Amino acid sequence: MQPYFTPKQMQLIVKLIWYYFLLYFFTVVYNVANKKVLESFPMPFTVAASQVAIGVPLSSSDHSDGLTPSLLAKIAACHGFGNVATVMALTSGSVSFVHVIKAAEPLFSAFLSVIFLNSKLSTWAYISLIPIVIGVALASIREVSFSWWVFGTAMLSNLLYMSRMVFSKASIQGSSPSSPGPKQQHASLSAVTTFRLVTLSAALQLIPCAILFEGSRASQLWRTLQSQRPSEFYFVWANLIMSGVSFYVYNEVAFWILDLVHPVTAAVGNSIKRIVLILASILVFHTPVSELGWIGSILAIGGSLIYALVQQWTPASASSPTASKLSVEESSNKLEP
């Protein structure tokens, strides 16, 4: 009797289980530590810049062939300021509510793909966006921490992260999404190498902004914590480092997974990750959620999963020969915190 799995297949299964555990674990750690930092140190630009900068020593890349400085700067700006927008939303809103809103990323994915990639989605893909809109609306109605600031910054985060997807796709295909004419192919980078370069560039962009917008206030609050509330100071310091390390690690682990699995598997795993994150944040912070909120959360996350699956299984019609590859890129939801 032959075994169900060969040794190589068993090795792959064990590796995937370990990778998914790391992905879910560090995603939860990042969001929980992030929220705890912001409760005592509500400086979103400084916190976001620190988190990205902490990832720089963890990354290493010895070349940047195939990625122009201007394109790298665009991807890094979307990555860095997308994290700023997420941190801004978490400053005032609950972790669970913010991530219900972030389940609306496919709305921006569909919008940007039409504008910049000249890609028309299938009818089923557009239909799958309906439960996302309804779900986010229902979750917002009875949300205790709802404010238009939280809603707007979380949506801005969606826009920036999906814009990064567009520019990242351009880096793989060797062209700018807004440039006319034929696509120029060049040596492309691996996803992990691209992310490492993006981390460094994003840190260089965010640090001056943090100094400009929050430098004096952040420095004053930091000294106040250090001198008057030392125990809280060390608590904030530890959680800030923890959130920065987790932010880098879970993003890189997501790329490891994408190298091993089908995009549909990645899409399912990403939806489960959001469910795990919302449940964990409710347990840690004792966030009250109404029945309407639960229904809205299920609709939004379920709609996001359906959209990813439809994009993979239903070829999108497009006037561009690269459009058919978009569904794979979107369904993977790379670099999505």
Side-chain angles (χ1 to χ4, degrees), residues 81 111 116 125 150 158 166 194 218 220 227 249 256 258 264 301 333:
F81 288 101
F111 176 74
F116 293 106
V150 174
N158 288 341
V166 172
T194 299
Q220 183 179 357
S227 60
V249 171
W256 298 350
L258 285 168
V264 171
I301 296 171
N333 286 325

Side-chain angles (χ1 to χ4, degrees), residues 181-219:
K183 309 297 181 183
Q184 296 180 350
Q185 298 295 327
H186 50 54
S188 62
L189 298 176
S190 70
V192 173
T193 301
T194 299
F195 174 58
R196 291 173 177 176
L197 290 169
V198 164
T199 297
L200 175 59
S201 180
L204 294 176
Q205 293 182 40
L206 288 187
I207 291 174
C209 292
I211 295 173
L212 177 64
F213 293 117
E214 298 175 349
S216 59
R217 291 185 294 118
S219 178

Side-chain angles (χ1 to χ4, degrees), residues 117 165-173 322 325-326 329:
L117 297 174
M165 180 274 294
V166 172
F167 292 121
S168 296
K169 185 173 178 64
S171 73
I172 296 173
Q173 295 175 343
T322 62
K325 300 178 183 178
L326 180 60
E329 193 77 19

